[in-house]
Amino acid sequence: MTYSVAVSGASGYAGGEILRLLANHPDVEITTVTAHSNAGDPLVAHQPHLRGLRHLELQPTTPEVLAGHDIVFLALPHGQSGQYTDALDSVDLVIDAGADHRLTSSAAWDQFYGGEFHTPWTYGVPELLVDGVKQRENLVGATRIAAPGCNASTVSLSLVPGVAAGVIETDDIVSVLAVGPSGAGKSLKTHLLGAELIGSANPYAVGGTHRHIPEIQQALRGAGATDPRVSFTPVLVPMARGILATTTARIAPGATDAEIRAAWESAYGDETFVQLLPEGSHPRTADVTGANTALMSVTIDRAANRVIIVAAVDNLAKGTAGAAIQSMNIALGLEETTALTMNGVAP
């Protein structure tokens, strides 16, 4: 069976990455791409690298245009997906790459986003441990999927094995991330201009204000944490794509080095797209560019009584579009790895 697909927000970074990956998917046909201000333009005017889709023209983003497809991807700014999802009841599978359907707490939504709160959907991180099982089990047969926040899924995947195994404490977690500006979308903003980024590293959303914090806390609660406290500081760096997240947590009393290492080995030893590196090796963002792969190292610092997890992810691939398509494959009963690669692009 070939599934017809519509992708909204197709002129943006996330929409473009969804299209890049879907273009090589043997079980889907991209029939419709939509945008707002760019409607009426050829897709390649905004995604010139997608030469195989040069026949497509951007349509207006309306429920009428999106309806009538088997699968709809919503790659819209936060707060905009909800107005469409209620009108897409006839669509078998809808996947939202925005935040509108990620959070289960309306209070957290009000605090970090504001506006109308929408029903939470099945969270699209297959490798995440939730209530003792992998999230992929919950994705089987799902009809509504919330793709993750790129920073949130990177930090959550870093921490959840240790939380679930009880080898780290969750009341003093610190995460500092080097991130590429593509995660902020294509909107023209002064702090995202090349002249502002090149040769500089710029922290933002400092002091507990980043919108991905409640998403991380939600994932940690799903792994067994009761009151997780996360100090989260992203830093914009001059690379188009990528996240390098360095996350530390206190070692739980009595946890041995072997038990700590075993927690991550057990969680990810059989995973294709989340890979734990050998002791002493650490990931680089360059090694995951264009790949649906999260590379991770776990280091034990007994002098500081902390575990240090370093994770590298391509924010547009595994962080967003790759996770969405991987979740789509699971929901439809397709091979999970279809159209996704673990191989990065180098140099």
Side-chain angles (χ1 to χ4, degrees), residues 261-308:
R261 183 78 187 176
W264 277 265
E265 290 175 341
S266 175
Y268 300 135
D270 295 329
E271 291 291 348
T272 299
F273 295 125
V274 181
Q275 300 179 12
L276 181 64
L277 298 179
E279 290 188 68
S281 298
H282 303 285
R284 310 179 308 165
T285 56
D287 299 328
V288 296
T289 301
N292 191 55
T293 309
L295 296 181
M296 194 175 300
S297 67
V298 174
T299 304
I300 300 163
D301 184 349
R302 284 290 175 181
N305 193 43
R306 299 184 80 86
V307 177
I308 303 161

Side-chain angles (χ1 to χ4, degrees), residues 10-336:
S11 60
Y13 288 135
E17 188 72 356
I18 290 168
L19 290 168
R20 183 181 75 88
L21 297 175
L22 286 178
N24 294 316
H25 199 298
D27 300 301
V28 307
E29 179 184 3
I30 302 166
T31 57
T32 303
V33 291
T34 79
H36 285 287
S37 59
N38 296 318
D41 293 348
L43 174 66
V44 290
H46 301 276
Q47 308 288 6
H49 61 299
L50 299 179
R51 305 313 302 177
L53 302 177
R54 62 189 181 277
H55 60 287
L56 294 174
E57 180 179 297
L58 293 164
Q59 305 297 315
T61 300
T62 66
E64 293 75 20
V65 170
L66 295 173
H69 298 83
D70 298 314
I71 305 167
V72 170
F73 286 85
L74 299 170
L76 303 172
H78 303 319
Q80 293 191 17
S81 298
Q83 63 181 307
Y84 299 104
T85 54
D86 293 340
L88 296 176
D89 291 342
S90 63
V91 177
D92 291 336
L93 176 59
V94 182
I95 302 173
D96 185 10
D100 293 32
H101 297 278
R102 292 176 191 159
L103 298 183
T104 59
S105 167
S106 60
W109 176 266
D110 290 342
Q111 180 181 352
F112 285 87
Y113 290 93
E116 184 178 356
F117 176 74
H118 294 278
T119 303
W121 289 356
T122 307
Y123 194 52
V125 185
E127 301 89 353
L128 199 66
L129 283 163
V130 181
D131 297 326
V133 300
K134 291 291 182 70
Q135 180 66 2
R136 65 167 47 87
E137 294 190 21
N138 299 319
L139 285 162
V140 174
T143 61
R144 297 293 182 269
I145 296 171
C150 52
N151 296 314
S153 61
T154 305
V155 175
S156 297
L157 287 168
S158 297
L159 289 166
V160 157
V163 175
V167 297
I168 61 173
E169 298 182 343
T170 59
D171 61 347
D172 182 21
I173 294 168
V174 178
S175 188
V176 178
L177 301 84
V179 301
S182 59
K186 273 189 178 179
S187 298
L188 294 178
K189 300 173 184 176
T190 301
H191 72 287
L192 300 179
L193 295 174
E196 303 291 333
L197 282 172
I198 295 171
S200 181
N202 309 297
Y204 68 101
V206 179
T209 61
H210 197 283
R211 289 172 166 178
H212 286 180
I213 291 174
E215 192 176 336
I216 296 167
Q217 293 172 318
Q218 181 173 291
L220 299 184
R221 291 189 186 97
T226 54
D227 185 23
R229 299 184 182 184
V230 182
S231 174
F232 177 95
T233 306
V235 180
L236 285 174
V237 296
M239 58 182 181
R241 292 169 173 251
I243 297 171
L244 188 71
T246 302
T247 305
T248 75
R250 283 201 304 259
I251 298 170
T256 67
D257 289 10
E259 290 170 337
I260 293 168
R261 183 78 187 176
W264 277 265
E265 290 175 341
S266 175
Y268 300 135
D270 295 329
E271 291 291 348
T272 299
F273 295 125
V274 181
Q275 300 179 12
L276 181 64
L277 298 179
E279 290 188 68
S281 298
H282 303 285
R284 310 179 308 165
T285 56
D287 299 328
V288 296
T289 301
N292 191 55
T293 309
L295 296 181
M296 194 175 300
S297 67
V298 174
T299 304
I300 300 163
D301 184 349
R302 284 290 175 181
N305 193 43
R306 299 184 80 86
V307 177
I308 303 161
I309 309 101
V310 181
V313 164
D314 182 326
N315 57 291
L316 292 177
K318 180 58 174 169
T320 305
I325 292 168
Q326 186 181 348
S327 299
M328 177 198 78
N329 288 337
I330 296 169
L332 296 175
L334 305 174
E335 175 61 40
E336 185 173 335

